[in-house]
Amino acid sequence: MIYMDNAATTKMTPAVIQAMLLCMEDIWYNPSSLYAPAQRAAEALRDARVRIAACLNASPDEIIFTSGGSEADNQAILSAARAGAQAGKRHIISTAIEHHAVLHTLEKLEREGYEVELLDVRSDGVISAEQVERAIREDTCLVTVMYANNEIGSIQPISKIGAVCREKGVTFHTDAVQAAGHLPIDVQAQSIGLLSLSAHKFHGPKGIGALYARNGIPMTRLIEGGDQEQGRRAGTENVPAIMAMAAALEEACSHMAENTQKVSALRNRLIMGLSQIPDVVLNGDPENRLPGNVNFSFEGIEGESLVLLLDQYGICASTGSACTAQSLSPSHVLLAIGRSHEAAAGALRLSLSEDNTQADVDEVLRIVPGLVRELRGKRVRNPFQRPL
Ligand SMILES: *Cc1c(COP(=O)(O)O)cnc(C)c1O
């Protein structure tokens, strides 16, 4: 089996599984309880918070544990919006290529009377800090721009956007779910006010994530109940998953340079090889993209058909985001970078990790051209479809 869908989720590493198991066996107590064993769980929780904060250059009390990236995005955006409304500010700036956890939250706010402005990205999937600067108004309460895109891998100029927001006094949130553990993050140097991350995108467990919220930014609770997370998120903490997330983030960050080098070399080999197929186009920029992201549109075929055929060869890939894989509507990201509906429907995303090898890449390069020919051939034989 060749797994090339690491943008959808990643495999936990042995060290991460070990950290989680140890916690489940030894310190499974409720960290809010008073007796000594529970205090060891509370101590583990504090330790994980310190380590995760250190990876982001944040302070531990600025870390809120959530159920994942989606919850962190929801809480960040709703918090900034509620605080804005109290000051009479209801204008929000974002981009057309955000994850649905962001876009659907913004749609909800629009129905509540907020004004949401989605900036157009260039054909390489990037917005400029100048675009953000021009869009900021007196009544802007939030700028939310993803760090790196989950479909085409494009990386935004986060430091520059952060600097603009700091200068204008506007809260800046970034969905860093694809970036955390893969690209450098420093919330101080990058002037980030709110940041979302999710453990299962950097070899941690699913169902756990974090929201970094700079001290002084008021938080709205999504979950009411006890006063865990300093009253910002109720519910007994998932200590084993949190310990595993800390281990995964530390492991990813301490090997970031070597992983980036290895994975981007595989990515470039894959891009070079797939570019040889006639009538294909790379989605996103060849250089400014996540180390593991490859996304091509194949003219005249359906991405879904290609993914299903690849599965027969034991190759796990995707058409784009896992969230849109089940729906037939074309990717909003590919439409936003100017692709036609047909090109958007013919997309294949291969997302690599450091577990992949050159042999994996060569196997994919051996198989894909034939499958594309086969699918295109079927299309010509089908009298109801336009021949190529
Ligand atoms: C995966 C992902 C999310 C959602 O994270 P979950 O932990 O699965 O809820 C949000 N944003 C981006 C960019 C993602 O890739």
Side-chain angles (χ1 to χ4, degrees):
M1 197 268 284
I2 296 177
Y3 185 74
M4 289 198 183
D5 200 15
N6 287 278
T9 198
T10 56
K11 184 181 175 185
M12 289 165 74
T13 68
V16 169
I17 293 173
Q18 198 52 40
M20 195 155 175
L21 272 178
L22 218 69
C23 190
M24 289 192 287
E25 282 167 354
D26 284 348
I27 42 171
W28 45 268
Y29 309 91
N30 187 325
S32 297
S33 299
L34 293 177
Y35 32 82
Q39 283 312 300
R40 284 179 39 236
E43 181 53 44
L45 195 59
R46 273 193 294 277
D47 174 59
R49 205 182 298 278
V50 167
R51 290 157 59 203
I52 289 168
C55 291
L56 308 174
N57 195 22
S59 78
D61 60 352
E62 294 174 315
I63 303 298
I64 303 167
F65 293 127
T66 66
S67 65
S70 299
E71 185 187 329
D73 282 342
N74 274 255
Q75 186 168 15
I77 291 165
L78 290 174
S79 296
R82 299 286 178 255
Q86 288 206 325
K89 299 178 173 188
R90 290 172 161 264
H91 178 241
I92 300 173
I93 298 167
S94 188
T95 80
I97 62 165
E98 298 297 311
H99 189 274
H100 283 137
V102 167
L103 288 178
H104 290 168
T105 305
L106 294 177
E107 283 167 18
K108 181 162 90 172
L109 288 171
E110 239 173 359
R111 289 193 293 273
E112 289 179 18
Y114 288 82
E115 186 184 337
V116 175
E117 188 174 341
L118 298 183
L119 301 177
D120 286 330
V121 295
R122 302 188 306 239
S123 60
D124 60 355
V126 176
I127 65 157
S128 69
E130 291 73 35
Q131 275 175 282
V132 174
E133 187 164 22
R134 278 196 300 274
I136 290 177
R137 312 190 312 211
E138 281 296 307
D139 63 340
T140 304
C141 60
L142 171 67
V143 169
T144 172
V145 175
M146 73 199 317
Y147 200 131
N149 184 267
N150 46 304
E151 292 188 41
I152 58 172
S154 56
I155 300 168
Q156 304 299 337
I158 290 302
S159 301
K160 287 184 183 161
I161 297 170
V164 163
C165 292
R166 187 188 55 210
E167 178 140 321
K168 301 268 186 181
V170 177
T171 301
F172 175 42
H173 167 248
T174 186
D175 173 343
V177 174
Q178 290 290 330
H182 304 281
L183 299 173
I185 295 177
D186 181 328
V187 292
Q188 311 279 347
Q190 295 176 296
S191 311
I192 295 166
L194 300 163
L195 176 142
S196 313
L197 59 81
S198 176
H200 77 102
K201 303 289 175 72
F202 50 81
H203 303 283
K206 281 164 264 297
I208 192 73
L211 170 60
Y212 156 78
R214 188 197 295 143
N215 278 324
I217 298 181
M219 280 296 106
T220 297
R221 265 191 308 279
L222 302 186
I223 314 277
E224 299 290 346
D227 62 359
Q228 290 91 354
E229 301 301 301
Q230 294 186 313
R232 296 168 297 186
R233 203 273 187 187
T236 304
E237 302 87 344
N238 188 348
V239 185
I242 290 167
M243 289 296 277
M245 173 162 66
L249 191 59
E250 276 182 340
E251 197 177 22
C253 290
S254 64
H255 295 103
M256 193 181 289
E258 60 195 90
N259 287 347
T260 298
Q261 200 179 20
K262 180 188 175 186
V263 176
S264 56
L266 294 175
R267 174 199 70 191
N268 294 345
R269 187 180 179 88
L270 198 48
I271 289 177
M272 283 282 279
L274 292 175
S275 302
Q276 309 302 313
I277 300 174
D279 301 316
V280 298
V281 55
L282 178 69
N283 293 313
D285 187 83
E287 308 279 334
N288 178 42
R289 66 193 306 135
L290 283 165
N293 176 281
V294 175
N295 188 318
F296 275 94
S297 284
F298 296 83
E299 195 186 308
I301 68 170
E302 298 285 341
E304 268 99 43
S305 314
L306 190 50
V307 167
L308 292 175
L309 280 181
L310 283 168
D311 182 37
Q312 294 184 4
Y313 289 86
I315 297 166
C316 306
S318 165
T319 56
S321 73
C323 323
T324 49
Q326 304 296 323
S327 68
L328 284 173
S329 53
S331 151
H332 66 287
V333 175
L334 295 178
L335 295 181
I337 62 169
R339 294 281 176 254
S340 65
H341 271 72
E342 199 202 11
L348 175 73
R349 179 188 69 187
L350 298 160
S351 44
L352 307 163
S353 86
E354 55 282 2
D355 296 336
N356 288 116
T357 62
Q358 193 165 309
D360 290 346
V361 169
D362 292 345
E363 177 71 357
V364 168
L365 289 177
R366 194 177 66 78
I367 288 170
V368 171
L371 297 184
V372 169
R373 256 196 314 274
E374 188 183 324
L375 286 168
R376 283 176 176 164
K378 276 201 185 117
R379 203 185 148 101
V380 174
R381 281 195 300 274
N382 181 343
F384 297 104
Q385 276 177 334
R386 175 175 70 80
L388 284 178

